Amino acid sequence: MKICCIGAGYVGGPTMAVIAHKCPHIKVTAVDIDAERIAAWNSDNLPIFEPGLKEIVEQVRGKNLFYSTDVDSGIREADIIFVSVPTPTKTYGIGNGRAADLKYVERCARHIAKAAQSDKIIVEKSTVPVRTADVIKRILDESDTSVNFQVLSNPEFLAEGTGIHDLENPDRVLIGGEETEAGQKAVQTVASIYAQWIPRDKILTTNLWSSELSKLVANAFLAQRISSINSISALCEATGADVGEVAMAIGKDSRIGPKFLQSSVGFGGSCFQKDILNLVYLCEAFGLSEVAEYWLKVVSMNDYQKSRFSRCIVNKLFNTVSDKRIAIFGFAFKKDTNDTRESPGIYVCRDLLEEQANLAIYDPKVPSEQILSDLNGNLDSDGKYGDASIEIAEDAYAAAEGAHAIAVLTEWDEFSGLDYERIYLSMRKPSFIFDGRNLLDLAKLRQIGFDVYGIGKSLPAL
Ligand code: UDX
Ligand code: UDX
C-alpha cells in the first residue's frame, strides 16, 4: 500500500512520520509545494519542533518515509491521499473574518483529479466546514478520467508539543465515510492502517458530516473551557479567590474533570479561533444566530483576556511603559513548540509596542526572524517600532537585564528553574513580574523583592 500526504506541515509532517514508523510495509510520501520546507524535512534541521519527532523521522526517512515536492508523482503512485493543507479564516469577500478559506483544499482536489490515473481514497485531514467532502467529490467526479474516488473525513486531534504521543496513543481515531458499500470499504481500509497500533475500539466510524463537524465541536468545547476559566480568573482577582484553587476544586468533580482548566493569558494556536469562527459562520449560514452568538463569545472572552493582561502591565507600571524595557519570556503559543500562530504573545507584544515599550524577547525555540515577522507592523529597518523597539535576547537572563518588568507568556519549563535572585539584581527597581501562565512561585518571588502579578490571583498585602 502507498500513501501520499499533500501538505507537510504541523499536522501532515508528524502524522506521516508516525504512520511510516508504525507501518513498515506502507510507503509514505509527504509532498508539499514549499521546496524550502521539503528540503528541511530532508535535512537534520526539521522545519517543525515536536518532542520525539526527529528520532522517528531519522529511523524511517529514506526507508518507507519520503518528503518530496513532486506532487504529481505523489498523487499518481498513492492508493490513499491525505489532504493536510491549510484552511485559514477567510480575509476577503463573503464570510471575511469567519468562514474557512477552502481555496487550498479545492486546489488539491483539482490537482488530484488531473494527476490521478488509478482509483484513490481521498482523506480530509484538514479541518473543514461540514459538507466539504461534497465539494471535493464534485470536483473529482467531474474529472474526465474513469478513475473512482472515495472521499473520507479523518480529522486530526493531535495537540502541538505532544503531537507524537497523541498520534501514538490517541483517545480515539475518527473516520467518516459515505454510507455506501464502497464508502464503507474505504473506511475499513483506512481503519486497518491505524489498527496497526491503535486498539480497534478506539477507532470510531461515523458518517461524513458527523466526522467533519466533530472536529470543529471538539476544538470549540476545549476552547470554551479555557475561556470559561479565564472569565473566572478576572472575578478571582476582584474577589480574593484563587483561580488555581477554584480550578482544582471544580476539576475534582468527575463530571467536570481536571483537564483544560489552566487559566492563562489566553489560548492561541492555529486551530481554536479559526475553528470556532468557522463554526459561527456555519451557524449563521443556517440561520442559527443564537447558536452563532453563543460560540462567538468564546473568542471575544479570549480577546478580553489577552488585552486585560497587557492593560494590567501598563497599569501596574504606573500607567506608562513608554521607554521602559520589558522582558518577554516565551513567544510560542504554548511550550514545546516553535509555532507562533495566533500566539497570545503576538497580541500582548503589539499592545506594549503601541504603548512605546522596549521589548526584549526570549523564546527557546522560536527563531528570531519569526518573532520579528509576527510583529512586523511598522517596524523600521533599524528594529524600531515607532518610538518602541524590539530586541531578541540570547537567553532569559539577557532579556531581563536592565528591565523594569518580566512578562511570562509561554510556560516553558526552563522559566521555572531560573535563578530569580540573579535576575532581580540585574533589573531596574521596582522590579515587576507578570506571570501569564501561573508557572512561577509568586510567594518566593515576592520574598526576593519582586512586585508580582499572576492570572486569577489576588495576593494579600505583605
Ligand atoms: C493544516 C490546516 O491548517 C488545518 O486546518 C488542518 O487541520 C491540518 O492541516 P498545519 O499542518 O498546522 O494545519 O498547517 P501548515 O503547517 O501550514 O502546513 C500546511 C502545508 O501545506 C504547508 O507546508 C504548505 O506549504 C502546504 N501546501 C499548502 C501545499 O502543499 N499545497 C497547497 O496548495 C497549499
Ligand atoms: C488543539 C487541540 O487540543 C487539538 O486536539 C487539535 O487537533 C488542534 O488544536 P493545539 O492548538 O496544538 O491543539 O494545543 P492545545 O494544547 O489545545 O492548546 C491550545 C491553546 O490553549 C494554547 O495556547 C494553550 O496554552 C492554551 N491552553 C490550553 C490554556 O490556556 N489552558 C489550558 O488549560 C489548556
Side-chain angles (χ1 to χ4, degrees):
M1 191 188 287
K2 294 195 177 100
I3 292 180
C4 168
C5 176
I6 306 181
Y10 281 90
V11 172
T15 308
M16 291 306 118
V18 169
I19 291 181
H21 188 236
K22 297 289 184 186
C23 308
H25 58 290
I26 299 180
K27 179 182 175 192
V28 180
T29 308
V31 297
D32 202 296
I33 50 170
D34 183 339
E36 229 175 89
R37 206 164 222 193
I38 289 298
W41 278 114
N42 283 322
S43 76
D44 285 339
N45 201 6
L46 301 187
I48 285 161
F49 172 71
E50 191 68 59
L53 173 64
K54 194 159 189 269
E55 290 75 1
I56 288 185
V57 169
E58 279 169 355
Q59 278 179 52
V60 286
R61 191 175 51 196
K63 288 189 185 140
N64 66 328
L65 174 66
F66 302 89
Y67 292 99
S68 162
T69 50
D70 187 351
V71 184
D72 276 3
S73 303
I75 293 171
R76 258 198 310 272
E77 271 197 2
D79 308 297
I80 302 176
I81 301 171
F82 286 82
V83 175
S84 188
V85 294
T87 47
T89 305
K90 263 185 97 175
T91 52
Y92 56 88
I94 299 165
N96 186 357
R98 297 262 166 99
D101 193 340
L102 289 178
K103 70 177 171 200
Y104 303 114
V105 171
E106 181 172 339
R107 194 190 292 168
C108 270
R110 290 185 188 279
H111 201 149
I112 294 168
K114 199 158 147 242
Q117 293 166 349
S118 57
D119 295 356
K120 316 264 171 218
I121 298 173
I122 313 301
V123 185
E124 290 172 352
K125 239 327 158 199
S126 299
T127 305
V128 290
V130 186
R131 302 205 77 91
T132 300
D134 253 352
V135 176
I136 299 178
K137 189 127 183 62
R138 276 281 320 268
I139 292 169
L140 295 173
D141 287 348
E142 300 279 322
S143 64
D144 44 41
T145 60
S146 55
V147 173
N148 282 314
F149 295 103
Q150 273 303 320
V151 181
L152 305 182
S153 158
N154 170 220
E156 185 46 66
F157 296 102
L158 72 81
E160 286 174 32
T162 53
I164 299 300
H165 173 268
D166 297 345
L167 285 163
E168 289 182 336
N169 314 282
D171 287 343
R172 78 316 206 174
V173 166
L174 181 58
I175 307 172
E178 271 186 64
E179 286 152 317
T180 57
E181 201 186 320
Q184 290 308 302
K185 196 169 158 230
V187 167
Q188 288 314 319
T189 304
V190 172
S192 72
I193 300 173
Y194 289 107
Q196 298 295 314
W197 76 97
I198 296 161
R200 279 277 176 178
D201 61 354
K202 287 193 174 180
I203 303 175
L204 315 180
T205 58
T206 64
N207 78 28
L208 268 169
W209 323 127
S210 305
S211 173
E212 288 180 336
L213 184 58
S214 296
K215 171 66 199 239
L216 294 182
V217 174
N219 275 349
F221 268 59
L222 290 167
Q224 181 198 41
R225 277 175 76 94
I226 303 169
S227 276
S228 296
I229 198 71
N230 281 344
S231 74
I232 298 303
S233 74
L235 188 59
C236 286
E237 287 163 36
T239 55
D242 178 311
V243 76
E245 292 179 353
V246 173
M248 192 252 301
I250 64 168
K252 290 282 181 202
D253 184 325
S254 60
R255 293 168 301 176
I256 297 175
K259 294 185 182 164
F260 264 70
L261 288 178
Q262 177 66 46
S263 188
S264 66
V265 56
F267 60 74
S270 69
C271 291
F272 282 174
Q273 175 166 315
K274 164 179 81 95
D275 291 351
I276 294 172
L277 292 175
N278 187 345
L279 187 66
V280 166
Y281 183 72
L282 270 177
C283 295
E284 281 169 348
F286 287 105
L288 304 169
S289 55
E290 285 80 1
V291 186
E293 270 168 42
Y294 175 76
W295 287 106
L296 196 53
K297 272 283 166 205
V298 174
V299 175
S300 49
M301 180 53 62
N302 195 48
D303 290 338
Y304 166 73
Q305 188 74 349
K306 290 182 279 191
S307 62
R308 200 167 77 78
F309 188 76
S310 24
R311 265 186 283 126
C312 169
I313 296 179
V314 178
N315 280 347
K316 299 263 165 85
L317 288 176
F318 316 109
N319 289 315
T320 175
V321 291
S322 178
D323 217 20
K324 287 183 180 160
R325 180 177 169 95
I326 300 182
I328 302 292
F329 282 10
F331 198 75
F333 81 96
K334 60 189 261 195
K335 75 170 179 176
D336 291 343
T337 177
N338 59 353
D339 193 350
T340 61
R341 289 177 292 178
E342 288 301 327
S343 176
I346 299 175
Y347 295 88
V348 172
C349 288
R350 277 195 194 144
D351 286 349
L352 295 173
L353 289 167
E354 289 295 330
E355 293 289 335
Q356 306 186 345
N358 298 327
L359 303 183
I361 305 174
Y362 167 67
D363 187 285
K365 287 287 174 207
V366 180
S368 41
E369 312 83 65
Q370 184 63 47
I371 298 176
L372 292 173
S373 101
D374 285 333
L375 297 175
N376 67 1
N378 33 9
L379 205 64
D380 318 331
S381 52
D382 57 355
K384 279 272 169 193
Y385 188 101
D387 285 327
S389 70
I390 302 170
E391 174 192 318
I392 308 297
E394 279 277 288
D395 60 25
Y397 295 105
E401 192 164 350
H404 296 79
I406 295 169
V408 179
L409 301 186
T410 312
E411 73 283 23
W412 286 104
D413 291 340
E414 68 175 67
F415 297 149
S416 46
L418 296 171
D419 178 350
Y420 281 96
E421 308 240 6
R422 171 180 162 198
I423 287 177
Y424 180 72
L425 290 176
S426 76
M427 287 175 67
R428 304 280 182 88
K429 302 293 170 312
S431 315
F432 291 83
I433 288 196
F434 298 89
D435 184 357
R437 294 289 181 167
N438 284 337
L439 178 75
L440 307 178
D441 183 341
L442 296 184
K444 221 162 153 192
L445 294 173
R446 268 177 128 194
Q447 272 169 13
I448 295 175
F450 284 103
D451 266 291
V452 296
Y453 166 81
I455 303 266
K457 314 258 170 201
S458 61
L459 296 152
L462 278 173

